[in-house]
Amino acid sequence: MARILLFGKLAETAGWRERHLALPADIKTLSALRAYLADSHQEIGAASTRAAVNKRLVHGDDPVSDDDEVAFMPPMSGG
Amino acid sequence: MDVLRLSAFDPYAELKDFVARQSGAGAVASLIGLCRAESGRVKTLVLDHFPGFTETEIARLMAQTRDRFALEDLCVIHRAGRIAPGEPIVLVAAAATHRRAAFDAVDFLMDYLKTEAPFWKKEEGPDGARWIEPRSQDLENKLRWTGDRED
């Protein structure tokens, strides 16, 4: 099962921070997973939402599988 | 690297240690970022982070800073968790042979921490809570470092 993580406002809006999800057979890429999750959590699909697969920031698209940890993150702000 | 702190830290003690371990540097510049009270509107600043990823990304931004400026040493300490007004959020210190590189490195790294470090801020106060996103000024500040100029 893939491990899905949400942070900041995304986690608060969704009401969860971490979920284990058996990926449906047709979800093989980050963009497909993003669209799938955005059905119930619209903000995950927002252009400003960044994604990291196995703690690596993904700029374009990437394959995802049941072994992966996928994090969705709203705009970052440190300092 | 011990960059993240989940409870209050003493930036002055950290800075003292940083200065004490320099041998070749001629200048140390530093910045201490504090949690603002916003005239009583903020009672707590909550900094969410992504353990394991936040540290890696800060290390990446530090490496970028070292690549760009001629530094002897560089230090970042960043809070996460629940922070009270007046408490330090971040310490950035840069040591260099000459002052300009030290000043610029601190300025550069702060601009990148503001917009690229994986933290998410929520202000809690008497009127409720709100999530803070980078301001357009933060993004403009970062743009000062891109473009044609090469240091």
Side-chain angles (χ1 to χ4, degrees):
Chain A
M1 290 218 279
R3 183 173 178 227
I4 314 293
L5 303 175
L6 304 180
F7 292 92
K9 191 180 178 184
L10 277 184
E12 189 173 272
T13 309
W16 52 274
R17 284 179 74 82
E18 176 173 349
R19 248 182 206 179
H20 293 267
L21 179 71
L23 296 183
D26 57 335
I27 306 284
K28 296 186 188 312
T29 62
L30 178 62
S31 58
L33 175 62
R34 191 193 273 263
Y36 175 75
L37 292 170
D39 265 353
S40 38
H41 308 295
Q42 200 181 344
E43 287 184 9
I44 292 178
S48 61
T49 297
R50 313 285 301 274
V53 177
N54 301 323
K55 297 189 172 63
R56 294 180 70 94
L57 210 53
V58 176
H59 295 281
D61 206 357
D62 238 23
V64 293
S65 77
D66 269 337
D67 300 325
D68 290 327
E69 175 202 83
V70 185
F72 292 98
M73 302 170 285
M76 303 172 189
S77 172
Chain B
M1 195 172 33
D2 188 16
V3 162
L4 268 185
R5 300 295 164 84
L6 300 177
S7 56
F9 70 98
D10 179 351
Y12 315 106
E14 301 285 352
L15 189 57
K16 191 176 170 189
D17 289 349
F18 180 77
V19 172
R21 59 173 188 264
Q22 305 310 321
S23 51
V28 170
S30 66
L31 182 121
I32 298 168
L34 302 173
C35 175
R36 279 187 297 266
E38 304 284 12
S39 314
R41 283 188 293 109
V42 176
K43 294 295 179 203
T44 307
L45 180 70
V46 184
L47 244 72
D48 190 11
H49 77 292
F50 182 178
F53 178 72
T54 298
E55 296 90 323
T56 310
E57 286 295 291
I58 292 175
R60 180 180 66 80
L61 298 174
M62 290 176 76
Q64 214 174 303
T65 308
R66 283 175 172 277
D67 283 349
R68 181 155 181 155
F69 304 97
L71 299 180
E72 294 284 325
D73 202 357
L74 182 62
C75 160
V76 174
I77 293 172
H78 206 300
R79 268 297 296 278
R82 299 179 67 80
I83 303 168
E87 283 185 358
I89 299 174
V90 64
L91 167 70
V92 172
T97 311
H98 299 288
R99 73 183 184 283
R100 183 59 53 205
F103 277 132
D104 287 349
V106 170
D107 198 13
F108 173 88
L109 184 49
M110 276 306 303
D111 284 345
Y112 277 80
L113 287 171
K114 278 282 180 190
T115 50
E116 293 191 15
F119 292 96
W120 299 277
K121 288 179 183 159
K122 184 164 75 166
E123 289 178 351
E124 295 178 350
D127 300 328
R130 67 181 193 109
W131 289 94
I132 309 295
E133 295 205 342
R135 300 169 306 148
S136 55
Q137 182 66 57
D138 292 327
L139 299 168
E140 280 167 30
N141 284 340
K142 188 173 72 175
L143 287 177
R144 294 183 301 145
W145 303 103
T146 56
D148 296 331
R149 56 177 288 199
E150 285 293 328
D151 291 11

